Amino acid sequence: DVYKRQHSHRMRSMDKLQVAYQLLDTFQKVQKLRLLCATINQARITQGDIPPWVFEEIKFFEANSDGHVPLMELYFRSLQLLLKQTDAACDDLVQAVKRHKASFEEEVMREFYQQALNHQIRAYNRDQSDRERCRQLLDFYMEMIQENLILQGNKISAWNYKNIASLHARIGELDRLEQFIHDFDGRIARNDATCARAFVNGLLAFYQGKYLDYQRKHAKTKTKGAASWMLDVLNSDSENIFWELEARAYRLLIKFELSEFEDEMPNQESLRMFIDRNKKSQKISKAHHQAYGNLIKTIRKLHLAAFASPEKAQVKLSKLLGNIAEMKHLAQKQWFIDKIQSLQAPKK
């Protein structure tokens, strides 16, 4: 009997050791997958080469897949997304997260949803005139809100607030944009909240065609138009220069809409100096510099085309529209396309 009890005790100890070994092995594999994801992501950000050892490790995981371990599956799906950068790989990751939703806390889900969101944003930024891609990105943002993966402490970051508002505006859903502002205006995280609030209100006013301050019926004071809201952004004390960059761009568009051409050239030159200075100090990327530099060139050409004689205007507008379609980097690309098409339309 003593021997049996000792033997049983040893067997239970062995079982516990085996479980502990398996858990440590799984932990090691998860950490290695995280390292692989981080390494590939860093290579993508710096536009460097992916180290050869990464591919050897991936082959090992493909041959020894532990698909029954939820966290390993999610990291492996994340790895595939980073490598392939396709919509199919993105969808695979999102579906895997949904399958294992009950296994994780919100923070883990947020990590993987954020990776899928980053893919959607990159895809949209490659061609912001693609309305279907714009719709897909907006739907994904709204799904993240429903899953409580955008809000943190019931607050939305200023930049997410601005991105979601911009997507609503660009596909013309201004009623939904007003509802979004109503729902989240008081829930913007403190950092840059004032700046975000001014920018989004300016965005709504711009797409409503309310460029200047105006008087509402029975109101005692004027309501701010897009120009005033964007000036508030420029006068803010935000350290994030992208607020100023976008506000400056919108003020150029406002000047065009108001036919204030005398003020246009100084504003264009001011924006040119701003992007040159910040590119030199590496505060904006080469792609951003090209996008806003092309905006300045394109709005100058649009001025010349829009106010040429009717025959010459149509030729110039058609040529400009073709040039825009070929531009890889152009800020406010969809606005230019819509504006040229409206100018080309027969006058009623």
Side-chain angles (χ1 to χ4, degrees):
D1 289 343
V2 172
Y3 173 77
K4 287 181 179 179
R5 285 196 299 271
Q6 290 176 342
H7 178 72
S8 178
H9 178 72
R10 282 197 297 271
M11 291 301 294
R12 286 197 298 273
S13 298
M14 289 295 290
D15 289 342
K16 290 178 181 179
L17 284 171
Q18 183 66 27
V19 170
Y21 173 80
Q22 291 173 348
L23 289 173
L24 283 170
D25 183 57
T26 299
F27 177 78
Q28 183 185 31
K29 288 178 179 178
V30 168
Q31 295 306 308
K32 187 171 284 189
L33 280 169
R34 290 184 68 181
L35 173 62
L36 292 172
C37 289
T39 303
I40 296 172
N41 194 44
Q42 185 63 29
R44 297 290 188 207
I45 292 171
T46 60
Q47 298 182 338
D49 295 328
I50 299 173
W53 63 266
V54 169
F55 297 101
E56 294 299 321
E57 291 290 348
I58 292 172
K59 286 180 182 178
F60 170 80
F61 278 105
E62 288 176 337
N64 301 274
S65 176
D66 284 327
H68 62 282
V69 179
L71 192 56
M72 287 187 66
E73 182 188 355
L74 296 189
Y75 273 116
F76 190 74
R77 296 291 183 188
S78 175
L79 193 64
Q80 294 300 309
L81 174 58
L82 286 166
L83 285 172
K84 297 177 180 178
Q85 300 188 73
T86 62
D87 290 342
C90 180
D91 189 57
D92 286 344
L93 173 60
V94 173
Q95 293 306 317
V97 175
K98 290 179 178 179
R99 278 198 306 275
H100 301 302
K101 180 179 177 179
S103 303
F104 302 111
E105 295 179 354
E106 284 180 1
E107 201 58 41
V108 176
M109 289 184 63
R110 185 176 287 113
E111 175 186 349
F112 292 104
Y113 258 87
Q114 185 63 48
Q115 290 177 33
L117 177 63
N118 290 343
H119 166 80
Q120 298 259 19
I121 292 172
R122 284 193 296 268
Y124 170 67
N125 285 338
R126 283 195 289 271
D127 184 6
Q128 294 189 3
S129 64
D130 186 339
R131 291 186 184 275
E132 183 57 33
R133 178 66 73 176
C134 182
R135 158 64 61 193
Q136 290 174 5
L137 178 55
L138 176 57
D139 288 346
F140 195 73
Y141 264 117
M142 301 313 289
E143 180 181 332
M144 289 185 71
I145 287 177
Q146 291 173 359
E147 295 287 348
N148 201 33
L149 300 176
I150 285 286
L151 304 182
Q152 292 186 300
N154 203 36
K155 296 288 186 180
I156 187 170
S157 75
W159 208 248
N160 280 332
Y161 181 72
K162 170 258 178 192
N163 284 346
I164 295 170
S166 297
L167 293 168
H168 275 114
R170 284 172 181 168
I171 59 176
E173 293 190 349
L174 301 186
D175 289 343
R176 286 186 64 188
L177 173 53
E178 285 188 282
Q179 185 61 49
F180 175 75
I181 293 172
H182 177 269
D183 292 342
F184 291 95
D185 183 75
R187 299 162 68 183
I188 310 170
R190 183 177 299 178
N191 188 29
D192 281 349
T194 302
C195 197
R197 194 170 287 114
F199 183 89
V200 168
N201 277 288
L203 188 73
L204 176 61
F206 176 83
Y207 281 94
Q208 288 176 332
K210 298 172 181 175
Y211 308 117
L212 300 176
D213 296 355
Y214 60 98
Q215 192 91 29
R216 291 182 185 271
K217 192 175 182 180
H218 305 307
K220 294 182 179 180
T221 59
K222 285 189 174 182
T223 299
K224 285 184 179 180
S228 292
W229 282 118
M230 292 303 173
L231 185 59
D232 286 351
V233 176
L234 295 181
N235 291 334
S236 72
D237 57 359
S238 173
E239 295 180 0
N240 187 334
I241 66 167
F242 287 97
W243 291 113
E244 181 174 353
L245 181 60
E246 293 214 29
R248 283 174 175 268
Y250 270 106
R251 283 180 64 83
L252 278 185
L253 305 189
I254 291 167
K255 292 292 183 184
F256 180 89
E257 295 285 11
L258 294 173
S259 302
E260 294 182 355
F261 309 123
E262 292 182 2
D263 295 338
E264 190 73 10
M265 289 301 292
N267 279 287
Q268 290 176 10
E269 199 53 40
S270 177
L271 178 56
R272 165 66 67 192
M273 292 172 63
F274 180 80
I275 61 175
D276 286 349
R277 182 173 68 250
N278 284 289
K279 180 177 180 288
K280 192 171 292 185
S281 61
Q282 298 183 330
K283 291 182 179 179
I284 63 172
S285 66
K286 181 180 178 181
H288 279 103
H289 185 268
Q290 289 178 346
Y292 286 90
N294 283 335
L295 180 144
I296 296 168
K297 293 176 184 176
T298 305
I299 207 161
R300 285 175 181 170
K301 291 178 181 178
L302 184 58
H303 278 150
L304 295 173
F307 299 97
S309 64
E311 296 78 11
K312 289 183 178 180
Q314 290 299 323
V315 173
K316 288 178 179 290
L317 289 170
S318 295
K319 183 178 179 181
L320 183 57
L321 190 61
N323 292 340
I324 288 171
E326 295 175 1
M327 285 186 188
K328 185 177 180 182
H329 301 293
L330 173 61
Q332 299 296 338
K333 188 174 185 177
Q334 187 58 54
W335 179 86
F336 279 110
I337 293 172
D338 291 344
K339 181 55 60 178
I340 290 172
Q341 289 174 344
S342 71
L343 291 170
Q344 289 177 320
K347 298 291 186 291
K348 294 182 180 180

